[in-house]
Amino acid sequence: MPKPHHLDEKVIQTRRDIVRMVHGAKSGHPGGSLGCTEFLITLFQNHMNYQLPFDMDGIGQDLFFLSNGHISPVFYSVLARSGFFSIKELSTFRKINSRLQGHPTTHEGLPGVRVASGSLGQGLSVAVGAALSKKLNQDSTLVYALLGDGELQEGQNWEAIMFAGGNDVDNLIVTVDYNGQQIDGATQDVLPLGNLENKFQSFGWQVLTNNRGNDLYSVKEGLENALKVAHKSKPIVIIMKTEMGNGVDFMMHSHQWHGIAPNDQQLQSALDQNPTTSLGDY
């Protein structure tokens, strides 16, 4: 399987967008956004079946739900650079009256955003409902959702996990961003998650693992493996290990960059590590 080299430049450009957006707003969540860049670029530009212009109903199309909504910088960048809305709009991130709020919302009608996801732990329930709706309507397309590992400390997730497993919601592919960090420290120190693979299996899920979630080849392979087991009586979860702050050396290996903005010098360092691409900044 060839490595998707054509996405390399897009990953670098998205990293530039993330750090510039958060720096410009002087607030936001760069760490988790950088960690999920390879995944969302691959999902939207090399994998998922959707059509533009954006249609909220999504009949006959794959759907995506971002549950860990604080990583909106990467979500907005990938949406814009996938054609959902103007790249120039990225400059309005977290500004008054902007459609690009700190956590995704629906009331402004931003293309690509199907549910508000400021409160952690709720996105999976919505995704399960959408997947069940597709099954009832005999729509064979899939529903994708991205969850943070820290938000699995929210009990609502486990109700949704139990429901999906108990009702054979097998058109659902969930990815857990397993970076081991959350706002107050390492997940192991705040509230250990235990063995996630065993937990999902015990709820009747098909479990896949990807220990290289910041490698484009591995992300692509993981999503393709998920397709192979879709529609086979079990919901699917990919436990994907990533590095918070990936691609910016001083943001990596720590929870400290979960939700703070780089200053001018730090921004320049981050941009130096992710040089200008032919895609151009917003």
Side-chain angles (χ1 to χ4, degrees):
M1 183 189 305
K3 183 175 180 178
H5 291 293
H6 64 289
L7 300 181
D8 287 337
E9 189 175 48
K10 295 180 180 181
V11 167
I12 293 171
Q13 186 59 59
T14 296
R15 289 181 190 147
R16 290 181 64 88
D17 291 345
I18 291 167
V19 294
R20 293 182 68 238
M21 290 163 66
V22 175
H23 172 266
K26 294 183 173 55
S27 65
H29 297 78
S33 293
L34 290 165
C36 287
T37 299
E38 289 85 358
F39 172 76
L40 284 173
I41 284 287
T42 302
L43 183 68
F44 274 87
Q45 300 199 2
N46 202 76
H47 183 80
M48 201 165 64
N49 171 32
Y50 60 87
Q51 300 172 12
L52 296 176
F54 176 71
D55 170 21
M56 182 62 93
D57 291 335
I59 297 172
Q61 303 179 49
D62 293 341
L63 308 182
F64 172 74
F65 295 93
L66 177 70
S67 187
N68 50 334
H70 56 278
I71 66 167
S72 62
V74 64
F75 189 34
Y76 295 152
S77 173
V78 171
L79 287 177
R81 294 191 178 275
S82 300
F84 282 78
F85 53 86
S86 171
I87 293 170
K88 293 181 179 179
E89 193 168 351
L90 296 177
S91 65
T92 70
F93 177 65
R94 282 185 172 242
K95 301 293 174 38
I96 294 177
N97 297 322
S98 170
R99 298 195 297 179
L100 278 60
Q101 291 300 304
H103 295 73
T105 61
T106 56
H107 67 279
E108 295 290 351
L110 183 67
V113 177
R114 298 186 180 278
V115 62
S117 51
S119 298
L120 293 176
Q122 298 181 1
L124 181 55
S125 295
V126 179
V128 170
L132 185 59
S133 176
K134 281 187 175 292
K135 287 177 68 70
L136 292 172
N137 289 317
Q138 299 183 335
D139 181 341
S140 63
T141 53
L142 297 166
V143 174
Y144 292 85
L146 177 62
L147 282 63
D149 52 357
E151 76 167 310
L152 289 177
Q153 297 162 349
E154 298 277 0
Q156 182 173 337
N157 288 296
W158 297 99
E159 295 180 34
I161 291 165
M162 178 169 56
F163 180 92
N167 289 274
D168 302 330
V169 185
D170 58 0
N171 56 340
L172 175 66
I173 298 176
V174 171
T175 298
V176 175
D177 174 26
Y178 201 178
N179 62 27
Q181 307 290 339
Q182 59 189 101
I183 190 169
D184 289 326
T187 54
Q188 183 63 27
D189 296 331
V190 177
L191 183 60
L193 298 171
N195 190 317
L196 286 183
E197 289 86 351
N198 286 350
K199 286 183 177 179
F200 273 96
Q201 286 175 350
S202 71
F203 279 86
W205 285 57
Q206 175 70 52
V207 179
L208 305 175
T209 59
N210 178 5
N211 292 323
R212 295 187 297 157
N214 295 122
D215 178 84
L216 286 167
Y217 173 88
S218 293
V219 172
K220 183 174 184 289
E221 183 179 46
L223 288 168
E224 290 178 351
N225 287 339
L227 284 181
K228 294 176 184 178
V229 292
H231 302 296
K232 292 185 178 180
S233 79
K234 292 183 177 183
I236 302 151
V237 62
I238 304 172
I239 309 296
M240 182 181 71
K241 292 186 179 179
T242 66
E243 182 64 56
M244 178 174 281
N246 186 62
V248 178
D249 57 7
F250 62 86
M251 292 188 181
M252 297 170 66
H253 312 299
S254 171
H255 71 281
Q256 295 179 354
W257 287 94
H258 172 91
I260 61 173
N263 60 31
D264 293 348
Q265 292 75 25
Q266 290 165 333
L267 171 65
Q268 190 57 55
S269 176
L271 294 177
D272 289 344
Q273 295 174 55
N274 294 275
T276 304
T277 74
S278 64
L279 301 175
D281 293 328
Y282 60 82

